[in-house]
Amino acid sequence: DVDLLYGPPGNTLHYAGVGMQLAAGLMERNTGTDWQTYFAANVAAPLGMSSTDYLGYLSGVVSTDNPNTAGSGRSSIDDYAALLQMILDDGVHSGSQFLPRRIVRELVQSRSRNLPVSRTPYDSYVDVAPRVAGFRTCMGAWVLDDSPPGNLPAFLNSGGAWGRQPFIDFKSQLVGVFLPFNTALDGDTQ
């Protein structure tokens, strides 16, 4: 029912994490493999991300039938940096092409250029940092949308609800992760 939506599909940018859950569900359906197993074998292992999984809220659990792909990921700074560096390097990891360059370019392209914005995770920061009003969505992250279509964005950020802030600065050729301790997680220091 369109009345339940914030606008007609494809006509408004409204931040929510459900798209990541939907993408993981589609991957599971198409491959017949659960998300955790697929991610571990096809992303984490090849990139050397041994401290990364999607069991952040399920301590002691090896897998789950319904991971929270938008919010249960846990990682180390080094693991996350390996993923970000591969994206910055146009899909190359340790001298080998991990993802085709065209796929990386597709991943970081704005999906919401020129759309009206009804909600982003940066709304409360616009008064102190007006430039964040320019963030638009790409696949699973936010890009500062100040480059022509088809070019790399200036900046990519994938800030999470718990304060984690991985970023790629394409102009400066820099990756980083702010991974603060968050007392809301009751002792989680990851």
Side-chain angles (χ1 to χ4, degrees), residues 3-15:
D3 293 335
L4 298 176
L5 301 175
Y6 292 97
N11 290 307
T12 303
L13 170 60
H14 185 88
Y15 168 67

Side-chain angles (χ1 to χ4, degrees), residues 39 55 62 105 189:
F39 178 83
L55 303 172
V62 175
R105 296 295 173 111
T189 58

Side-chain angles (χ1 to χ4, degrees), residues 8-157:
N11 290 307
T12 303
L13 170 60
H14 185 88
Y15 168 67
V18 71
M20 291 183 185
Q21 196 72 17
L22 178 61
L26 290 170
M27 182 283 313
E28 288 181 343
R29 186 174 184 155
N30 287 329
T31 66
T33 304
D34 68 88
W35 172 255
Q36 178 65 22
T37 302
Y38 186 88
F39 178 83
N42 294 286
V43 179
L47 293 178
M49 299 171 66
S50 60
S51 298
T52 303
D53 62 37
Y54 280 86
L55 303 172
Y57 297 119
L58 302 168
S59 182
V61 175
V62 175
S63 67
T64 176
D65 290 337
N66 190 21
N68 177 359
T69 54
S72 68
R74 60 184 179 175
S75 190
S76 68
I77 290 175
D78 290 339
D79 277 14
Y80 219 139
L83 177 68
L84 298 172
Q85 189 67 49
M86 179 273 298
I87 294 169
L88 179 64
D89 292 342
D90 267 338
V92 174
H93 175 72
S94 296
S96 297
Q97 197 73 43
F98 177 73
L99 282 178
R101 181 177 187 254
R102 67 177 174 74
I103 297 296
V104 173
R105 296 295 173 111
E106 192 66 27
L107 287 172
V108 301
Q109 289 302 301
S110 173
R111 300 288 169 215
S112 56
R113 188 179 298 274
N114 301 321
L115 289 180
V117 177
S118 67
R119 180 173 180 251
T120 78
Y122 305 104
D123 291 346
S124 61
Y125 303 105
V126 172
D127 290 341
V128 294
R131 194 162 187 205
V132 300
F135 272 110
R136 294 294 185 262
T137 58
C138 66
M139 296 287 206
W142 296 87
V143 291
L144 192 54
D145 195 11
D146 64 354
S147 59
N151 291 344
L152 287 172
F155 191 83
L156 179 143
N157 173 277

